[in-house]
């Protein structure tokens, strides 16, 4: 599935092509002229005007710190609907200062406890940004670059909101043909991209993301990245996003993230979060800034006990910061650099399912070496012997019906297959026939038919249902053969916002277990046993906003 298929290798970067883009244009050199004779800044009374000495001139409001103009090769790109580019929806009255230090110009914005920065480097078509949110007194969760309409063509239609008929809240839309649109439908997890943006083939405009060390949600988190409407387009760097969030908000400096212009190709790989060298920023006085010398590294010799059919990701997290990196497919070696000093929980993920954790301590300038990690067999639920299993355990709904589509469409979308899905074990391709999501008001009561041998029917068995997230405390209650009903399980901790309808299945993976007594099984081995899966909850609304849950795997253990 796009951006979440546990069988695909993790993509380290991605870019999006406009309809007029060509492979030849994308292969061309970056548009960064060597001459920088005009590098400098002026004050036009309302804005600080920065000329990068390349092909980019930008303006920052002296009153608010908004980015009011982005002129590349003489063309204005900033602005739609009369709005500027800015933190959140604009900070309002702020203290804005500017200074030049050699080949760098730094604009500093102060708004209460929040500090925001823009930097330009001589001869580069880039704007470097940092944002330091010190506490919750300022609602600053994103930076949005607002781009004029018609500058770039429609190349990612599911996030284009060229319609006024809303079907959920004020941000999910439906076209007359039944397809749905929302700015939330980005398809990608944070780990899947290094940059997002648009290109015409001759001009590219991108946001290169930061390392997200002060963001929340981990490597598999999904949030809005970009959208276009009739008024123009928006490119986002999400600093913290509460929708379907699994962690508390982290505070501190985030960045640099970069607004980058090119001649149509991808932004330079030197800007990517894993490679970005900012030694030139060490002496700029950015609040909360920690240079390379004040950071450490975690390196793992290898990981055994892996299922090589899946990618493995190693994450580091504590209350102050988060990091991640891929484990090498051949031996599980990993290296995570640029880590702030502290003690972290190190978690190994099989696809998106946590299968191992330990503690590591990182010191400035040092490397913490982790000896070979052996994942206990019992930590991976796929290793348990099962009478039958629907889908594999990956921490994702990948493989179930509609799972791919749900990262970029609403469940009501005409492209979705019917949310029915009774299956017969042994019929083949059971997972693809079974819906990835179950709602109380839509398809509660799905049935699984299966046969048992006489020996199997003579004993109790454990039934497991793995979920990746839930909405409105939706959780599965099961009925076997209309004679045995499980207790209603307690709801696990899950995000309390929308999830299943705005492109995200990511929550807190949880396994429900049910001890089914032997008396529940049918003793006639020629007959099918029938498992009914209901959604229990007293919360939620109706239809696709009724209580629901996303399924990872279902199995009956031996």
């Amino acid at each position: 599935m796009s951006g979440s298929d546990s069988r695909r290798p993790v993509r380290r970067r991605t870019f999006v092509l406009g309809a007029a883009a060509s492979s030849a244009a994308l292969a061309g050199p970056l548009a960064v002229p060597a001459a920088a004779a005009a590098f400098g800044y002026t004050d036009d009374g309302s804005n600080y005007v920065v000329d990068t000495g390349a092909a980019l001139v930008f303006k920052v409001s002296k009153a608010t710190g908004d980015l009011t103009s982005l002129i590349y090769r003489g063309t204005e790109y900033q602005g739609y609907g009369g709005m500027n580019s800015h933190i959140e929806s604009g900070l309002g009255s702020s203290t804005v200062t500017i200074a030049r230090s050699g080949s760098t110009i730094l604009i500093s914005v102060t708004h209460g406890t929040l500090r925001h920065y823009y930097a330009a480097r001589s001869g580069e078509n880039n704007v470097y940004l940092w944002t330091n949110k010190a506490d919750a007194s300022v609602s600053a969760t994103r930076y949005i670059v607002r781009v004029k309409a018609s500058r770039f063509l429609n190349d990612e239609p599911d996030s284009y909101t060229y319609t006024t008929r809303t079907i959920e809240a004020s941000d999910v839309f439906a076209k007359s043909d039944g397809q749905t649109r929302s700015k939330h439908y980005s398809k990608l997890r944070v780990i899947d991209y290094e940059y997002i943006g648009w290109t015409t083939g001759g001009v590219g405009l991108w946001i290169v993301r930061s390392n997200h060390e002060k963001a929340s949600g981990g490597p598999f988190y999904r949030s809005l990245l970009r959208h276009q409407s009739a008024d123009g387009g928006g490119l986002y760097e999400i600093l913290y996003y509460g929708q379907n969030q699994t962690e508390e908000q982290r505070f501190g400096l985030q960045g640099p993230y970069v607004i980058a212009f090119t001649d149509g190709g991808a932004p330079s790989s030197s800007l990517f979060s894993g490679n970005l060298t900012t030694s030139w920023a060490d002496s700029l006085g950015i609040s909360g800034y920690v240079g390379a010398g004040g950071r450490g590294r975690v390196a793992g010799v290898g990981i055994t006990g892996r299922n090589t059919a899946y990618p493995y990701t190693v994450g580091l997290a504590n209350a102050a910061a988060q990091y991640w990196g891929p484990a090498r497919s051949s031996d599980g070696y990993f290296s995570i650099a640029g880590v702030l000093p502290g003690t972290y929980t190190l978690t190994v993920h099989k696809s998106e399912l946590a299968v191992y954790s330990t503690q590591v301590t990182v010191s400035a300038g040092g490397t913490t070496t982790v000896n070979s990690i052996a994942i206990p067999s019992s930590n991976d639920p796929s290793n348990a012997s099962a009478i039958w299993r629907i889908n594999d355990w990956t921490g994702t709904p990948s493989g179930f019906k509609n799972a791919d589509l749900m990262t970029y469409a609403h469940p009501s979308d005409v492209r979705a297959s019917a949310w029915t899905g009774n299956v017969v074990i042994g019929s083949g391709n059971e997972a693809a026939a079974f819906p990835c999501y179950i709602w109380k008001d839509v398809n509660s009561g799905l049935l699984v038919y299966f046969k048992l041998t006489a020996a199997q029917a003579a004993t109790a068995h454990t039934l497991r249902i793995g979920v990746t997230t839930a909405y409105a405390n939706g959780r599965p209650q099961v009925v076997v053969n209309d004679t045995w009903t499980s207790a209603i399980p307690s709801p696990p901790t899950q995000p309390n916002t929308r999830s299943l309808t705005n492109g995200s299945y990511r929550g807190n993976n949880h396994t429900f277990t049910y001890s089914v007594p032997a008396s529940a099984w049918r003793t006639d081995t020629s007959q099918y046993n029938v498992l009914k899966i209901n959604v229990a909850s007293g919360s939620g609304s109706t239809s696709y906003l009724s209580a629901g849950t996303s399924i990872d795997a279902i199995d009956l253990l031996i």
Side-chain angles (χ1 to χ4, degrees):
M1 56 190 289
S2 301
S4 64
D5 188 343
S6 57
R7 296 166 178 81
R8 292 183 181 177
V10 172
R11 290 176 291 163
R12 299 308 303 148
R13 54 188 182 271
T14 184
F15 58 88
V16 184
L17 310 183
S22 69
S23 58
L26 291 175
L30 297 177
V32 183
F39 178 71
Y41 71 88
T42 57
D43 182 341
D44 69 3
S46 299
N47 306 280
Y48 291 120
V49 183
V50 178
D51 191 325
T52 65
L56 175 63
V57 178
F58 66 91
K59 298 180 181 180
V60 174
S61 167
K62 294 167 57 180
T64 65
D66 287 0
L67 188 68
T68 60
S69 177
L70 275 172
I71 297 176
Y72 180 69
R73 299 195 184 281
T75 298
E76 178 67 79
Y77 286 86
Q78 199 297 123
Y80 68 78
M83 294 181 284
N84 298 322
S85 299
H86 41 54
I87 286 288
E88 194 59 8
S89 296
L91 295 174
S93 180
S94 303
T95 300
V96 184
T97 60
I98 190 169
R100 175 173 175 172
S101 177
S103 59
T104 302
I105 293 171
L106 181 71
I107 297 175
S108 304
V109 181
T110 301
H111 182 85
T113 60
L114 184 136
R115 305 289 184 271
H116 180 68
Y117 304 91
Y118 302 89
R121 295 279 289 164
S122 177
E124 295 186 12
N125 292 315
N126 304 318
V127 183
Y128 298 85
L129 302 95
W130 291 262
T131 304
N132 189 332
K133 184 179 179 181
D135 52 45
S137 63
V138 177
S139 177
T141 59
R142 68 180 183 184
Y143 192 92
I144 179 170
V145 179
R146 302 188 186 274
V147 183
K148 284 185 175 294
S150 303
R151 290 290 186 257
F152 299 98
L153 302 181
N154 183 341
D155 56 2
E156 192 67 32
D158 297 293
S159 62
Y160 275 60
T161 53
Y162 287 114
T163 178
T164 58
R165 185 168 73 89
T166 58
I167 59 171
E168 184 177 298
S170 59
D171 56 11
V172 182
F173 302 84
K175 295 174 58 182
S176 59
D177 64 2
Q179 292 192 11
T180 54
R181 301 287 185 264
S182 176
K183 64 184 179 182
H184 297 288
Y185 297 155
S186 64
K187 297 185 180 179
L188 303 176
R189 308 166 300 174
V190 177
I191 198 173
D192 294 325
Y193 70 96
E194 296 285 0
Y195 54 89
I196 45 95
W198 297 295
T199 178
T200 65
V203 174
L205 171 57
W206 317 94
I207 280 190
V208 181
R209 72 165 174 84
S210 68
N211 67 355
H212 279 220
E213 70 180 0
K214 296 292 185 178
S216 297
F220 313 122
Y221 188 66
R222 298 173 185 269
S223 64
L224 62 164
L225 299 178
R226 63 177 196 156
H227 80 279
Q228 286 206 30
S229 68
D231 297 324
L235 297 177
Y236 298 86
E237 166 72 346
I238 298 298
L239 307 175
Y240 174 78
Y241 197 52
Q243 194 104 305
N244 207 40
Q245 181 58 251
T246 58
E247 295 182 301
E248 295 295 325
Q249 183 171 186
R250 294 180 172 95
F251 298 106
L253 184 69
Q254 297 204 62
Y257 48 102
V258 188
I259 302 170
F261 280 92
T262 71
D263 64 355
S268 170
S269 61
S270 66
L271 299 178
F272 299 161
S273 60
N275 303 320
L276 185 55
T277 299
T278 53
S279 57
W280 52 265
D282 289 355
S283 61
L284 295 179
I286 294 173
S287 174
Y289 181 89
V290 179
R295 297 170 177 270
R297 184 172 75 102
V298 176
V301 173
I303 303 172
T304 62
R306 293 173 296 119
N307 182 334
T308 56
Y310 299 99
Y312 281 70
T313 300
V314 179
L316 303 174
N318 61 21
Q322 62 171 7
Y323 308 90
W324 56 81
R328 193 161 59 195
S329 59
S330 60
D331 56 9
Y333 168 84
F334 61 91
S335 178
I336 304 173
V339 180
L340 292 171
T343 298
Y344 295 84
T345 297
L346 180 153
T347 304
V348 178
H349 296 88
K350 168 197 171 186
S351 186
E352 296 186 18
L353 184 66
V355 292
Y356 180 87
S357 67
T358 188
Q359 299 290 302
V360 295
T361 298
V362 180
S363 58
T367 295
T368 300
T369 301
V370 180
N371 294 326
S372 185
I373 292 172
I375 301 172
S377 177
S378 59
N379 284 20
D380 184 345
S382 297
N383 293 331
S385 297
I387 298 172
W388 54 261
R389 176 171 291 137
I390 305 175
N391 217 17
D392 201 1
W393 294 81
T394 63
T396 80
S398 177
F400 281 120
K401 185 198 293 188
N402 292 327
D404 181 21
L405 182 66
M406 287 303 96
T407 64
Y408 60 94
H410 190 269
S412 65
D413 196 291
V414 68
R415 292 169 290 180
S417 299
W419 287 101
T420 53
N422 299 339
V423 297
V424 178
I425 299 299
S427 60
N429 213 20
E430 291 91 342
F434 196 88
C436 61
Y437 299 161
I438 304 177
W439 292 270
K440 185 175 183 179
D441 204 32
V442 176
N443 57 350
S444 182
L446 291 175
L447 303 178
V448 178
Y449 297 87
F450 59 97
K451 291 181 179 180
L452 297 176
T453 66
Q456 291 167 343
T459 186
H461 294 284
T462 297
L463 174 75
R464 303 187 301 183
I465 300 179
V467 304
T468 70
T469 194
Y471 177 69
N473 287 329
R475 66 269 197 197
Q477 182 185 33
V478 300
V479 180
V480 177
N481 293 324
D482 288 328
T483 62
W484 181 86
T485 301
S486 73
I488 297 175
S490 298
T493 300
Q494 295 288 6
N496 59 8
T497 60
R498 287 179 300 159
S499 54
L500 308 180
T501 59
N502 68 357
S504 178
Y505 57 78
R506 179 75 268 127
N508 294 309
N509 288 107
H510 182 81
T511 301
F512 294 94
T513 60
Y514 311 84
S515 297
V516 185
S519 59
W521 310 125
R522 288 178 173 160
T523 56
D524 184 345
T525 59
S526 67
Q527 290 186 321
Y528 282 103
N529 289 273
V530 183
L531 168 69
K532 179 186 290 186
I533 304 174
N534 296 318
V535 176
S537 175
S539 304
S541 179
T542 59
S543 189
Y544 299 108
L545 288 179
S546 63
T549 191
S550 169
I551 306 298
D552 178 9
I554 307 170
D555 58 20
L556 184 68
L557 300 186
I558 292 176

